[in-house]
Amino acid sequence: MKYIIIGAVAGGASTAARIRRLDETAEIIMIEKGEYVSYANCGLPYYIGDVIKDRNKLFIQDAASFKRRFNIDVKVRTEAIEIHPSEKKVTLLDLYTQKTYTESYDKLVLSTGAVPIKPPIPGIHSANVFTIRDVHDTDLVKAVIQNQKVKHATVVGGGFIGIEMMENLTHLGIKTRVIERAPQLLAFLDEDMALLAKSEIEANGVVVDVNNGLSEIRDNADGSKTIKLENGDEFQTDMVILSIGVLPNNFLAKAAGLEIGQKGGVLVDEYMQTSNSDIYAVGDVIEFHHPICNASYPIYLAGPANKQGRICANNIVNGNTKKFNGSVSTTIVKVFGKTIAATGSNSRLLKNHNIKHITSITHSSSNAGYYPGSTPMVIKIAFDPESGVLLGAQIIGEEGVDKRVDVFSTYVQNKQTIDDLMEFEQAYAPPFSSAKDPVNMAGFVANNIMDKVMQIYNPEDAIEISKKEFLIDVRTPEEFEAGTIPNARNIELDELRNHLTEIPKDKTIYVFCEVGLRGYLASRILVQHGFEVRNLSGGYRFWKNTYG
Amino acid sequence: MKYIIIGAVAGGASTAARIRRLDETAEIIMIEKGEYVSYANCGLPYYIGDVIKDRNKLFIQDAASFKRRFNIDVKVRTEAIEIHPSEKKVTLLDLYTQKTYTESYDKLVLSTGAVPIKPPIPGIHSANVFTIRDVHDTDLVKAVIQNQKVKHATVVGGGFIGIEMMENLTHLGIKTRVIERAPQLLAFLDEDMALLAKSEIEANGVVVDVNNGLSEIRDNADGSKTIKLENGDEFQTDMVILSIGVLPNNFLAKAAGLEIGQKGGVLVDEYMQTSNSDIYAVGDVIEFHHPICNASYPIYLAGPANKQGRICANNIVNGNTKKFNGSVSTTIVKVFGKTIAATGSNSRLLKNHNIKHITSITHSSSNAGYYPGSTPMVIKIAFDPESGVLLGAQIIGEEGVDKRVDVFSTYVQNKQTIDDLMEFEQAYAPPFSSAKDPVNMAGFVANNIMDKVMQIYNPEDAIEISKKEFLIDVRTPEEFEAGTIPNARNIELDELRNHLTEIPKDKTIYVFCEVGLRGYLASRILVQHGFEVRNLSGGYRFWKNTYG
Ligand SMILES: Cc1cc2nc3c(=O)[nH]c(=O)nc-3n(C[C@H](O)[C@H](O)[C@H](O)COP(=O)(O)OP(=O)(O)OC[C@H]3O[C@@H](n4cnc5c(N)ncnc54)[C@H](O)[C@@H]3O)c2cc1C
Ligand SMILES: Cc1cc2nc3c(=O)[nH]c(=O)nc-3n(C[C@H](O)[C@H](O)[C@H](O)COP(=O)(O)OP(=O)(O)OC[C@H]3O[C@@H](n4cnc5c(N)ncnc54)[C@H](O)[C@@H]3O)c2cc1C
Ligand SMILES: CC(C)(COP(=O)(O)OP(=O)(O)OC[C@H]1O[C@@H](n2cnc3c(N)ncnc32)[C@H](O)[C@@H]1OP(=O)(O)O)[C@@H](O)C(=O)NCCC(=O)NCCS
Ligand SMILES: CC(C)(COP(=O)(O)OP(=O)(O)OC[C@H]1O[C@@H](n2cnc3c(N)ncnc32)[C@H](O)[C@@H]1OP(=O)(O)O)[C@@H](O)C(=O)NCCC(=O)NCCS
């Protein structure tokens, strides 16, 4: 058998290596238009930021080692320019010699990745305007930083790669400004969680514009640039990093007549097979049925690309036997001292897809509060109000965020419920967790909501509610004095049982405390005395840090 | 309704607080024979070790705050000395006044915890021989350390509490020796993993005796003690910490005629109800059906105790509705720079219960190898050879061990399979994981074993095999020179395809490399050339550090 794989990084290289392990005698050719194969795309921002100091560390394998170890022919600087599905051939262009030639295949794998979006904005093609997609881009940016005096950089686009670039540039001492056209950064988060992310970024001296697109890049005489925003603001910068987003690199696939999805990704079935049974596709170039939303989406993540590669190789060699079950978009990004992560679908996405859900916000410690080094985290989960199935989780904190998002990821992937969160048996010793893990706590609170043991109101509604409803701050007088929600009156939790007569029975009572726990206890006392009560999800702390 | 809860720490206090939230009008009395309630048992070793500096941090609530917040009567220094199930009464002894009195109940909850084992060994009741169970014990040990010149301590028992004590004493500069009668430390591990734990402990200057019990403690004239071991060895020490194990504190339950299990725990059903329908029990005092082994076991862990308390409260107030589904014994302990953790059943336990299983050992990095700060971890999993159900996982490493054991815990709890491990969608960015998470990698390797893509041999058999079989070290000549398994010959992986004729076809070929990956690649090449091949699970590194 003869296999050709187009694209030799995450998805492609994984497919090729696994094919070899399954079939020692196959002829395997990997085609890569770039100079490098099998490199760590995800490390590129950190290499720019000097966090990864040794450029060699970015390379896992090269063409020679692929030959030696896997007996795979890797053709670098070779671009696949056309697929001829009926003849089972590909036309290749040798970028050194500029000569074309064809190779036949029995099975073809597309792992051509994604292409960065470059909107037709004046000045976008001028010098020192970069996208970060591969080693070449990275070398260019690194050289500019090293050789020119870059004092100020502008990152256009607040997705996770933009944010990583912002962090790394800041780390190098470059003043950085982030511009995002959408109303918020980090689209994988809900607006409220994104506000927390924004605060963290601003606290590190970075200027952030949201709701404001790039409208023009002008070159100045001194080598600097003037950036003009959609709202008319202008400022000077030395370098521009575009991370506005990517699109599936579907050029070859489209021309070959393969079915393409609504979002531009190559459509594959669960075996990674395209509409042509001899062509498979994996990685950023595909789109796939989303396990939560009833739609298909591209997945621009390395984990799924690697896993799809292995599955694809199995199916190519052994016939279609192994299924890919979709990605729940588990995402994580380090932002200075904080870690920001999410899995499943956020509220915005769920709303767009008309999926009923309740959200619940909790605050927890990374490990036992009595043991040194514990740090706070905020967790927001979304779940189905009837079945309790967990639909998504978002977390911001310092330590232990990656752990909790991974645990939530298993529950989202397996369509498990709030009950499962409650039962989660964490490894508990004081340095690592608490007797009730943050995941359990999110489960307990959601369970109370589902069982109507507690009714909640959401932080985004707090101000409106405060204008017309009976609002009680159940924190201590000291906490109340230091700041509260407008119009709230103060009845401390531990005194509540003695002040019941002061509370009207004909109105819904809205309570809140610092994080939600005392508000919950207050609501239990009141409800059992015949009041109708709502507790503020996430408490004063979350409200204050977002809409307050 | 009137509820009495005996024992006011992890299980008891959780039950009481939840009962109040569900029933504002109930009368709730908590009985505690000690001086303190609701404290962090799990923090006690760290308070002794001065890692937790403030003693107040150990206390979450006290009797007064329970009254204020929860309107719960807490009777400290009050011992329940008899239950009269037919009359629904308990006899209580006020330890201050030494007077007894009775209280009636509608429902009774037992959360009396466990009692430390103190075997009848000569000298065991002499001064400066302690167990660590509660605040009182802790205060005693702390005082001795502060006031007497404790230069050397002996920890008897190498379970997780013993190991935590050993670490904390060492942290204080006290020379420490650990004595364990069993052939290994940390019974939640397999022997091989326990050997790695032992090495780590010894590397920190601690003397460890395994396979060697305590036989006598003698007081010396200078205030020190002589410890005599079962093998006749003697040495001097200043203080002895006994952590030989605990037994369910079933005294009251037994006398009340409640059904007791084989291991001495109070038998409860999934609703936490004992054989008497008005009495419930939670925490260390119960034993419960183990989800993997067909037997019931006590669970001496705080997480399950807290969760059972919440479940128990629900069932008491609302009728039996919420089930406890058992504990998979997820355990973790920090040992100097290492973290050691396990979930589910280890191989020893599985063997004892005649449960068929395969084990597989992998080495992984805590996060992307190209990103600074990644550290190695060893993972050993056990799974059902037919269904692929994950039965247990053990991990030793530095960073990120707690995360992986938590992920494995969800899979073990939910009776999921090797396929699920492969599909696990980790949150991947370079500081947190790799494109293939260690959990995925364990899954891939196990999947290859199940699918017979790779056959393995186990490290404990390597020496026997090396004596009679054809053994190939596929590492580089440099690695081979630096040390190998006896009788191994060296054919480097990348040269293997050129040396096939030197390998006998009539024998099973045993290969190995450093961690297992190159051995696997070698085995794939050889198998497809018609050889019968086995690859060493865990590679040379694991073998060398355990049986080598
Ligand atoms: C800066 C950056 C940071 C990232 N960080 C993370 C992260 O932290 N976590 C995460 O999960 N994901 C991250 N990603 C995304 C991740 O790298 C991708 O999802 C993954 O690499 C996709 O794999 P792929 O094989 O589909 O595409 P790629 O790995 O991009 O490989 C595609 C290859 O195909 C080649 N190619 C394309 N067309 C042709 C052609 N016609 N002929 C020959 N060759 C062709 C390209 O040159 C390219 O080398 C990051 C991406 C970038 C760019
Ligand atoms: C030093 C130490 C470290 C630990 N570390 C960890 C860890 O890191 N992780 C983990 O998961 N678990 C750990 N544990 C175990 C954990 O603390 C227990 O599993 C948990 O506390 C059990 O809860 P319980 O309510 O059953 O018993 P306990 O919390 O022990 O409470 C029982 C209470 O009942 C009282 N009592 C008993 N009999 C009577 C009576 N007749 N009348 C009145 N009162 C009575 C006792 O005085 C005691 O206060 C540790 C335990 C110890 C001792
Ligand atoms: C590295 C690369 C070439 C793939 O190579 P690979 O051989 O599939 O992957 P790894 O080196 O991680 O090894 C995994 C294999 O080793 C096996 N393995 C790992 N540890 C093992 C052990 N201890 N014993 C036996 N086998 C082991 C696994 O089972 C797996 O084999 P399988 O897929 O046949 O089951 C490809 O993933 C790549 O190019 N990666 C870099 C690009 C990238 O991913 N970028 C995005 C992220 S930054
Ligand atoms: C603290 C202790 C008294 C229990 O109190 P508790 O009130 O049940 O537990 P917590 O204070 O952790 O609060 C948990 C409750 O608050 C709720 N809660 C937590 N955060 C919330 C939020 N943001 N919004 C609303 N409710 C919240 C939870 O739902 C849960 O209530 P529920 O059980 O009714 O669902 C008891 O666990 C104890 O004594 N612990 C110390 C002893 C111990 O566990 N030792 C061993 C480990 S070291």
Side-chain angles (χ1 to χ4, degrees), chain B residues 8 404 444:
Chain B
R404 275 57 181 222
F444 294 143

Side-chain angles (χ1 to χ4, degrees), chain A residues 14 18 21 38-39 41-42 306 310, chain B residues 436 448 517 520:
Chain A
S14 300
R18 174 76 178 168
R21 290 190 285 269
S38 188
Y39 60 83
N41 333 46
C42 316
N306 271 265
R310 190 177 188 277
Chain B
K436 293 162 187 158
N448 290 333
L517 170 53
Y520 162 54

